[in-house]
Amino acid sequence: MRLQRSPKLAIGLVAIVCAFHTMTAFDIPLEVEQLPTITAQTPSSLIAFPFDESFPMTCEAKGNPTPEFRWTKNGQEFDPSLDPRLMKEEDSGTFVIPNNGNLTEYQGTYRCYASNKLGTAISKEIEFIVPNVPKFPKETLDPVVVEEGQPFTLKCDPPSGIPPLQIYWMTINMQHIEQDQRVSMGLNGDLYFSHAVEKDSRRDYCCFAAFPRIRTIVQKTAMSVVVKSRKSDSTQSANEILQRRPSLLTPSGVRSEVQLVRGEVLKLECIAEGYPTPQVEWVKVAHQLPAKAIVENHGKLLIVPGAEQEDSGKYLCKAKNPLGEVLHYFTVTVEEPPEWVFEPESQLSMIGSDVHIKCSASGTPQPTTAWRVNGVPLQDSPAASRSFFGDTVVLHNAKASDSAVYQCEASNKHGTLLSNANIMIMNLPPMILTNEGEEYSAVEGQGTMLHCKVFSSPPSAITWSKDDSSESVVGPRFTVHDNGSLEIYNVDKGDTGQYTCLARNTEGSSAIDASLYVKDPTRIVVAPEDQQILIGTTAQLSCLAEYDKSFSNDFELLWEKDDMEIALNYTENSRYFLEDATLHIINVSHRDQGVYKCVARTPVDRDVASALLMVLDVPDAPESLVLSEHKSKSVKLKWIPGDNHNSSTTEFIIQYEESQWELGSWKELQRVPGNHNSAVLKLHGHVDYRFRVSGVNAVGRGPPSQPTERYKTPPSAPDKNPENIKIEGHLPHEIDIKWKPLLPIEHNGPGLEYKVSYRRKDVEEDWKEQMVKRHSFVVKNTPTFVPYEIKIQARNHQGWGPEPKIVTGYSGEDFPSAAPDDVAVEVVNSSVVKVSWTPVHKDKLHGHLGGYRINWWRLRSLVDSKKSHGDKHTLTFPGDRTHAMVPGLTPFSEYSLIVMTFNGRGNGPGSHPVNFKTPEGVPEKNPVFRVTDVLRNSVTLVWAPPLEPNGILTGYLLEYQLINDTDELGPLQTADISNPETTKWTVHELEPLCKYKFYLCSCTTVGCGPVVSAEGTTNLLTSLASIHGGISTQGWFIGLMCAVALLTLTVLIACFVNRNKGGKYSVKEKEDLHPDVESQGMNDDTFCEYSDNDEKPLKGSQHSLSREIKAVESGDSLVDYGDEDTQFNEDGSFIGEYAGRKEKRASAEIKATIQTLA
């Protein structure tokens, strides 16, 4: 990629990092002598849980020289290396206490000291706690005896252990003691009863204390409670004993003080006794209760999570019943552990400077501050140059020997803070920590950073120059940062070159060189596009990038999904592969949905393009199906729709299954729009239903939900009556009534049957009724074809269905008794006639009019006087009509026809026959047309007359023309043959060795029929006799003929044997019996300019006066004979027999001589 260069950089002024007198929050390289610094230590509390294998006491530090470590335990020196049971790590202060013996002796408070010749750093105090296994004391508890109505308390007194502590009251059988307004457990674990009732008497009250951190549960000895019942003849006196004012069981007194640390949970409780059971209310005096406050334990416990200073103050609990109330005040103080206000910081200062070390902390109560130097209390290590000013230690005119680790420790009763501050006093010339000769690559148009990390005391002034110039780089695109790094903004190709970093201070100077190369940026030129892909298909994401050609071996094209790199391992099971910068994801599933990033990366830059891939699928099955609003014939179904997988749900399909008739068969009940999640379902009676729901979206129908519980509706009367009632009369005096029966689910109860009611419509009469259980009924002895009114009503044991609709029908039909009158025939043309008639009166129909039928048959052809009754033909014309057209008649024939009407029962009588004749038409095509006796200048044509002349033949029209391979035709020649008996014609004056096409059609006075064609090629022979006479006298010819005769005899004997065995002639033998005379033409020499080309269309053909001659297939094929046989005589002529419809034509004998060149 070629980019334009920008102008060269200007060389400018020096860039300097200001030198400060004191450096804070610094990081001294380990190459420089320095004080120890604690880098890792164990938390301030280490609990020896019994299930842990070991307990590390961690203490790691860095420094130069390498620090040495020592420990104290409970303020006394402790050497881990002297105890063989402890595991000590090399070059570390860490040791490990194994859990393989009595850990109690290791319990105590530890502190680690890391020292070298410059000073000592100390760790926080670490308390190693070895918990005892908590146990309830073994004791014998007397039963608690209490009078009915009096309060009592069961003490738990749980043992101490590692918090948190969880207390439960249960029975010996591990059943929880029920707690309510009257019975509740306090924060201390005791179980309080505001007044005793008889059911409190039991012998197995057990207190269980659980310590989850040490996985321990302990049980106290079971306690027994005996409640004495106070019975009195006077109900009033009994009430005086039981009813009393409230008093508090806990806390005692009227005031309490509560202290807690900020962030802890504030819990205040008031448990009262009295009868009726007192109700507890909570108030914050002069304030509202905190918004985050929660009341639990039936109002007896107030909880304020995450207590802050504003939660301090006075709280009031009030327990009251109808006889009075009792109050208790809580004074809540929220205290805080120490927090740094100003934490001491490590400092690097020059010799002779003043150093200020400040330490300040806040907390409630106010923390106390203690100073140490190198782990020794400050008062035990006096120094003349050190003084105090409030919370600040000041070192005056510091010397190198004043370098030390100062510790400040702030503590109150809620915790301790410790900070180590390394105070280094030194003068040091610049030390450049960045390697010499670093090479940097930057991208044109972006920014870059050249590093020059320097350590010195005092701090150094740092300048950068380019290409051995004494001038420093300067300008708005260049910045030298405090850490010495040179930042260049909007880099261009002119920034390429060598740069020098120079660091100076009062102690000396140092320099390094670095090289910068500017590269073309990496750009994605074809980014992937957002896609919606159907689950199970293959997704393709394309990404094409341009990059600097120098990175050919370092360029990477990576793909990420949801910020996680996709591993392209190209294994058989991998669903991801990269091909031609396109990521293919095979068999996409739901987990493939997300944001895909194409990352084009070089060592110096990268470009990113992302696309969202959304996977389309059918909706997930709905969940949480609930039935509600149960009614006798309806129920409401609710559900939670499943994930629609990025294609909105268009509808929900509700299905049902019933258990009585088709158990396990689910059928559709209802559909609701996709934005609904409930539906009221209309149900049938006496059905045990289950329902399920599936969603539909553009992808398809999703899986069904889990079915609901069963819902059985009560029996009820039928909701509907039978439908699709059909009234048919198969016999003249019957009505056959059928209907679609109610489905089993529509019965609504047992005992379904049908009431069939019927009556004549045309006369006044009462309904006749019949109860049936099947779904059909026959009414007998009815008049023929009279109207009836019919209705069918369903009934079961619960009652009748709705009032049925009345359906009208007719009794059985009989055959029509009259034929159409005035039948007349009008000839339209030679093959179509129009038939008209007078309709049959409706009284003679005896049924519904179906229509009219015309039957006709051919009596004879008018060519022959002989009559022969042809096949009968029928046309049916539905409906009420008076005329019809009859097509497809044979011209020049005599016909007879009759007309009849019909109804549902059948045909009526036919009319009187009407005879008519059709006029002449054009003949059919000639079935045979062949070329025979082909000579040099003539050919002989033979044909057979048409099977149906459709009139009196007047002759034939013969036409022919020369054809060749150039799509050009010779002139069309015509020969009129006026003798209709002619079936053979010789055409003379033809050119030798030329191909001709012949056209033939038969004619009547009306016109000529369709054309048939044949082709033939002339040869060089003048006659067949000259050839025959010349060779027949030769001896070799006589011998040859004898050999041929002998061979023929042999072949005939073999064929005779083969036929007796069931053999058949081969295809070749059949072809030999029917040689193609047209194939005998010669194509070697061309005596004329026209030749044969069957595949090309004929152009320039002539037209006769009577019709158009078309290039069609040869009409001489024997196929045109239909099923008739064709035989050849011994002299080469053939006999064709042609048969018409029930008629035979005279045969024609045509002689054809087939000759080939020797």
Side-chain angles (χ1 to χ4, degrees):
M1 182 167 55
R2 186 180 296 274
L3 301 177
Q4 293 185 350
R5 288 183 172 272
S6 59
K8 279 196 168 184
L9 291 173
I11 306 300
L13 300 176
V14 179
I16 301 176
V17 176
C18 297
F20 292 94
H21 186 268
T22 300
M23 294 176 60
T24 61
F26 64 95
D27 184 15
I28 302 176
L30 279 177
E31 294 85 353
V32 180
E33 283 193 350
Q34 57 185 284
L35 293 162
T37 301
I38 299 290
T39 57
Q41 70 173 72
T42 298
S44 57
S45 177
L46 179 61
I47 300 174
F49 294 112
F51 41 80
D52 289 338
E53 294 182 357
S54 60
F55 313 99
M57 301 290 286
T58 304
C59 183
E60 304 292 343
K62 68 176 183 176
N64 187 0
T66 302
E68 296 179 351
F69 298 91
R70 64 184 180 88
W71 286 86
T72 61
K73 176 185 176 185
N74 297 329
Q76 302 297 317
E77 290 294 327
F78 175 77
D79 190 351
S81 61
L82 299 179
D83 190 337
R85 292 173 295 177
L86 302 180
M87 294 175 285
K88 184 76 169 62
E89 298 183 11
E90 294 291 333
D91 301 324
S92 171
T94 300
F95 67 90
V96 179
I97 304 173
N99 189 4
N100 56 6
N102 185 11
L103 297 176
T104 307
E105 61 179 292
Y106 296 111
Q107 185 165 283
T109 301
Y110 293 81
R111 174 166 273 170
C112 173
Y113 294 77
S115 305
N116 64 13
K117 68 178 184 179
L118 300 179
T120 301
I122 66 173
S123 71
K124 298 177 182 178
E125 287 188 337
I126 304 168
E127 184 180 8
F128 183 62
I129 302 171
V130 181
N132 295 320
V133 177
K135 294 181 180 178
F136 279 105
K138 293 183 179 180
E139 55 186 342
T140 301
L141 301 175
D142 295 330
V144 177
V145 181
V146 61
E147 291 186 0
E148 184 180 9
Q150 296 300 312
F152 68 97
T153 302
L154 298 180
K155 295 287 187 179
C156 180
D157 297 326
S160 59
I162 301 297
L165 168 64
Q166 298 170 352
I167 298 177
Y168 307 94
W169 282 91
M170 292 188 287
T171 66
I172 291 294
N173 296 327
M174 306 300 290
Q175 298 294 320
H176 284 274
I177 301 298
E178 183 179 355
Q179 299 185 31
D180 51 23
Q181 290 278 2
R182 185 180 65 86
V183 182
S184 58
M185 184 180 70
L187 293 175
N188 61 357
D190 293 347
L191 191 62
Y192 296 92
F193 295 77
S194 64
H195 61 272
V197 296
E198 288 186 9
K199 69 177 182 178
D200 295 334
S201 294
R202 60 185 313 132
R203 301 171 58 186
D204 57 352
Y205 286 93
C206 297
C207 178
F208 290 86
F211 301 89
R213 292 189 68 184
I214 59 175
R215 305 175 188 175
T216 301
I217 299 177
V218 292
Q219 175 188 347
K220 187 173 182 175
T221 304
M223 289 171 273
S224 177
V225 174
V226 178
V227 178
K228 291 185 177 181
S229 177
R230 292 181 59 88
K231 296 183 179 179
S232 172
D233 297 336
S234 171
T235 304
Q236 183 177 1
S237 62
N239 290 340
E240 289 176 357
I241 296 173
L242 293 175
Q243 291 189 1
R244 61 186 180 279
R245 292 169 54 88
S247 64
L248 292 178
L249 297 175
T250 185
S252 61
V254 295
R255 296 184 184 276
S256 300
E257 291 190 359
V258 178
Q259 295 178 347
L260 72 160
V261 178
R262 180 169 59 89
E264 293 181 348
V265 179
L266 171 63
K267 294 183 178 180
L268 306 176
E269 73 172 346
C270 282
I271 300 178
E273 63 89 8
Y275 188 82
T277 303
Q279 302 292 320
V280 178
E281 296 179 359
W282 291 93
V283 177
K284 185 177 183 183
V285 179
H287 296 86
Q288 291 185 346
L289 284 175
K292 57 187 175 181
I294 305 170
V295 177
E296 293 184 354
N297 197 12
H298 306 284
K300 303 171 189 178
L301 178 63
L302 177 68
I303 299 176
V304 181
E308 300 289 344
Q309 284 293 343
E310 57 266 24
D311 297 323
S312 300
K314 287 190 176 182
Y315 290 80
L316 167 67
C317 82
K318 182 189 299 183
K320 61 181 179 179
N321 68 6
L323 301 181
E325 62 182 30
V326 61
L327 306 178
H328 189 89
Y329 292 91
F330 297 88
T331 301
V332 176
T333 303
V334 178
E335 299 185 340
E336 298 184 22
E339 289 187 358
W340 289 119
V341 175
F342 195 94
E343 182 179 3
E345 294 181 342
S346 297
Q347 302 178 39
L348 173 62
S349 300
M350 291 192 304
I351 297 173
S353 62
D354 291 342
V355 180
H356 296 73
I357 311 167
K358 186 174 183 180
C359 177
S360 175
S362 64
T364 306
Q366 178 63 37
T368 58
T369 302
W371 285 90
R372 290 185 177 87
V373 58
N374 294 328
V376 179
L378 207 59
Q379 59 270 22
D380 296 340
S381 179
S385 61
R386 186 170 58 224
S387 61
F388 281 95
F389 293 94
D391 56 6
T392 303
V393 174
V394 180
L395 302 179
H396 302 280
N397 193 19
K399 301 182 293 295
S401 58
D402 291 327
S403 296
V405 182
Y406 283 78
Q407 289 91 22
C408 179
E409 193 170 43
S411 61
N412 65 10
K413 65 180 181 179
H414 300 300
T416 300
L417 293 175
L418 173 67
S419 179
N420 286 276
N422 290 3
I423 307 301
M424 290 290 298
I425 311 297
M426 64 168 61
N427 287 358
L428 185 70
M431 178 187 294
I432 298 181
L433 305 177
T434 304
N435 293 333
E436 167 72 24
E438 289 280 355
E439 293 184 350
Y440 298 91
S441 294
V443 178
E444 185 177 24
Q446 299 182 14
T448 189
M449 191 85 73
L450 279 60
H451 299 294
C452 186
K453 186 177 181 180
V454 179
F455 179 78
S456 64
S457 181
S460 299
I462 298 176
T463 60
W464 284 85
S465 60
K466 180 176 181 290
D467 295 335
D468 298 327
S469 172
S470 59
E471 301 290 334
S472 297
V473 294
V474 69
R477 295 193 303 112
F478 301 93
T479 299
V480 180
H481 293 279
D482 292 344
N483 62 359
S485 297
L486 172 65
E487 184 172 8
I488 306 176
Y489 309 97
N490 193 22
V491 174
D492 60 31
K493 290 295 183 73
D495 294 329
T496 300
Q498 180 173 300
Y499 291 78
T500 301
C501 171
L502 177 63
R504 287 194 184 93
N505 72 356
T506 57
E507 306 297 317
S509 64
S510 182
I512 61 168
D513 291 331
S515 299
L516 175 64
Y517 302 95
V518 179
K519 307 289 185 178
D520 292 331
T522 301
R523 293 188 305 111
I524 293 178
V525 293
V526 177
E529 298 179 350
D530 294 346
Q531 291 187 29
Q532 290 186 339
I533 192 75
L534 191 63
I535 191 170
T537 59
T538 298
Q540 297 181 355
L541 299 171
S542 298
C543 183
L544 190 62
E546 295 179 349
Y547 54 90
D548 193 277
K549 62 182 181 180
S550 64
F551 293 133
S552 296
N553 296 328
D554 299 318
F555 173 76
E556 290 182 296
L557 186 66
L558 307 175
W559 285 90
E560 297 178 353
K561 177 184 179 293
D562 298 332
D563 299 326
M564 296 292 291
E565 184 175 344
I566 298 175
L568 301 172
N569 53 16
Y570 299 99
T571 62
E572 290 185 2
N573 296 327
S574 175
R575 296 172 48 254
Y576 301 95
F577 71 91
L578 194 62
E579 181 181 24
D580 297 332
T582 299
L583 177 67
H584 298 258
I585 308 173
I586 303 172
N587 192 18
V588 170
S589 62
H590 293 304
R591 66 176 182 270
D592 294 319
Q593 180 168 303
V595 177
Y596 286 80
K597 289 183 180 178
C598 170
V599 181
R601 186 170 68 188
T602 66
V604 296
D605 73 333
R606 57 184 281 171
D607 195 13
V608 177
S610 62
L612 175 62
L613 182 67
M614 299 177 66
V615 179
L616 304 179
D617 195 4
V618 297
D620 284 345
E623 300 175 344
S624 304
L625 273 66
V626 176
L627 295 176
S628 61
E629 301 180 14
H630 300 74
K631 297 180 181 179
S632 60
K633 290 187 179 180
S634 70
V635 69
K636 186 172 185 179
L637 175 63
K638 293 183 179 180
W639 62 89
I640 297 176
D643 191 337
N644 62 17
H645 297 300
N646 307 306
S647 178
S648 298
T649 303
T650 55
E651 63 178 351
F652 289 101
I653 300 176
I654 303 171
Q655 295 177 301
Y656 73 90
E657 178 226 36
E658 48 80 22
S659 61
Q660 184 174 353
W661 297 284
E662 295 182 83
L663 181 64
S665 174
W666 290 90
K667 298 180 180 179
E668 183 174 322
L669 176 63
Q670 191 171 334
R671 295 190 178 215
V672 297
N675 57 354
H676 291 195
N677 64 346
S678 66
V680 176
L681 310 180
K682 295 182 179 180
L683 309 177
H684 295 287
H686 197 57
V687 179
D688 192 9
Y689 284 99
R690 283 199 307 171
F691 305 98
R692 68 183 188 185
V693 183
S694 57
V696 179
N697 62 10
V699 180
R701 180 173 175 176
S705 65
Q706 290 296 317
T708 64
E709 72 276 6
R710 289 203 173 272
Y711 174 58
K712 187 170 184 179
T713 55
S716 62
D719 296 320
K720 58 185 294 188
N721 292 309
E723 298 175 345
N724 295 336
I725 300 173
K726 294 183 178 179
I727 303 172
E728 300 173 343
H730 298 293
L731 296 176
H733 302 291
E734 291 183 358
I735 303 177
D736 191 357
I737 307 171
K738 296 180 180 179
W739 59 89
K740 182 179 179 182
L742 296 184
L743 298 174
I745 198 173
E746 297 172 338
H747 290 186
N748 283 1
L752 182 76
E753 55 185 351
Y754 304 100
K755 182 176 73 173
V756 181
S757 303
Y758 58 92
R759 67 182 178 185
R760 285 188 61 174
K761 185 177 181 181
D762 55 344
V763 296
E764 290 289 337
E765 69 176 22
D766 295 332
W767 289 98
K768 298 181 178 62
E769 298 177 348
Q770 185 70 36
M771 298 299 298
V772 296
K773 293 185 177 180
R774 60 186 183 276
H775 54 279
S776 65
F777 180 69
V778 177
V779 181
K780 296 183 180 295
N781 300 322
T782 65
T784 300
F785 198 65
V786 295
Y788 274 82
E789 291 182 333
I790 297 168
K791 58 183 181 178
I792 303 175
Q793 187 175 20
R795 184 184 73 174
N796 61 16
H797 292 340
Q798 304 300 315
W800 292 96
E803 181 64 26
K805 295 180 180 179
I806 296 176
V807 179
T808 299
Y810 284 81
S811 58
E813 298 177 291
D814 203 351
F815 296 106
S817 59
D821 294 327
D822 303 327
V823 177
V825 176
E826 177 185 348
V827 176
V828 177
N829 56 39
S830 61
S831 60
V832 178
V833 297
K834 179 180 179 182
V835 183
S836 59
W837 59 87
T838 302
V840 176
H841 193 274
K842 65 178 181 178
D843 293 338
K844 302 295 185 178
L845 290 175
H846 307 303
H848 295 288
L849 174 64
Y852 291 87
R853 287 192 174 99
I854 301 176
N855 294 343
W856 77 91
W857 55 93
R858 186 184 184 195
L859 295 176
R860 65 188 177 92
S861 169
L862 296 179
V863 176
D864 301 329
S865 59
K866 181 181 178 180
K867 289 191 175 182
S868 60
H869 200 290
D871 294 336
K872 186 177 72 172
H873 303 273
T874 301
L875 277 178
T876 299
F877 303 95
D880 188 8
R881 58 194 303 158
T882 59
H883 65 275
M885 305 295 288
V886 178
L889 302 177
T890 301
F892 207 56
S893 300
E894 184 178 1
Y895 283 90
S896 181
L897 66 76
I898 62 173
V899 182
M900 65 188 71
T901 187
F902 66 92
N903 60 16
R905 183 74 189 280
N907 295 331
S911 65
H912 293 293
V914 176
N915 292 352
F916 63 93
K917 297 177 181 179
T918 56
E920 280 191 275
V922 297
E924 293 182 353
K925 72 177 183 177
N926 299 74
V928 175
F929 182 46
R930 299 180 65 86
V931 178
T932 63
D933 293 345
V934 180
L935 298 177
R936 177 183 179 89
N937 299 109
S938 66
V939 296
T940 299
L941 304 173
V942 294
W943 62 86
L947 299 180
E948 285 291 349
N950 293 335
I952 298 174
L953 286 178
T954 60
Y956 300 93
L957 178 63
L958 176 64
E959 295 177 320
Y960 59 94
Q961 63 186 155
L962 188 68
I963 61 176
N964 60 14
D965 295 330
T966 60
D967 296 340
E968 296 182 3
L969 301 176
L972 189 66
Q973 306 292 326
T974 303
D976 286 321
I977 303 171
S978 59
N979 184 2
E981 301 298 326
T982 303
T983 59
K984 181 176 180 180
W985 192 268
T986 300
V987 181
H988 299 280
E989 299 180 358
L990 301 178
E991 296 290 337
L993 294 178
C994 289
K995 189 174 185 179
Y996 284 86
K997 192 161 189 177
F998 303 92
Y999 310 93
L1000 180 72
C1001 59
S1002 304
C1003 301
T1004 64
T1005 57
V1006 177
C1008 294
V1011 176
V1012 293
S1013 65
E1015 294 179 1
T1017 303
T1018 57
N1019 56 34
L1020 294 175
L1021 299 179
T1022 57
S1023 69
L1024 296 175
S1026 63
I1027 297 293
H1028 185 269
I1031 64 174
S1032 63
T1033 59
Q1034 301 296 322
W1036 63 268
F1037 180 74
I1038 296 173
L1040 178 62
M1041 290 298 100
C1042 291
V1044 170
L1046 181 60
L1047 180 62
T1048 302
L1049 179 61
T1050 304
V1051 171
L1052 290 175
I1053 293 173
C1055 291
F1056 179 78
V1057 174
N1058 188 42
R1059 182 180 296 274
N1060 289 341
K1061 291 182 180 180
K1064 296 182 179 180
Y1065 286 105
S1066 66
V1067 175
K1068 181 66 171 64
E1069 292 170 341
K1070 292 182 179 180
E1071 293 174 350
D1072 292 340
L1073 291 177
H1074 304 284
D1076 184 6
V1077 296
E1078 296 179 5
S1079 65
Q1080 299 176 15
M1082 298 178 61
N1083 296 321
D1084 296 335
D1085 300 323
T1086 46
F1087 289 93
C1088 57
E1089 57 183 353
Y1090 299 105
S1091 62
D1092 181 25
N1093 188 347
D1094 291 336
E1095 296 181 0
K1096 295 182 180 180
L1098 302 177
K1099 295 183 180 179
S1101 61
Q1102 302 295 320
H1103 294 76
S1104 68
L1105 297 176
S1106 59
R1107 80 261 172 225
E1108 177 181 337
I1109 299 178
K1110 298 181 180 179
V1112 295
E1113 292 295 332
S1114 173
D1116 62 352
S1117 173
L1118 295 179
V1119 177
D1120 292 335
Y1121 283 84
D1123 295 333
E1124 303 300 331
D1125 295 332
T1126 301
Q1127 298 177 346
F1128 285 87
N1129 291 327
E1130 293 179 358
D1131 59 356
S1133 63
F1134 70 91
I1135 300 174
E1137 296 184 3
Y1138 315 107
R1141 299 173 186 175
K1142 310 287 186 178
E1143 300 178 21
K1144 287 280 186 173
R1145 296 283 182 189
S1147 62
E1149 182 178 299
I1150 303 172
K1151 181 178 180 181
T1153 303
I1154 302 173
Q1155 189 73 26
T1156 58
L1157 292 174

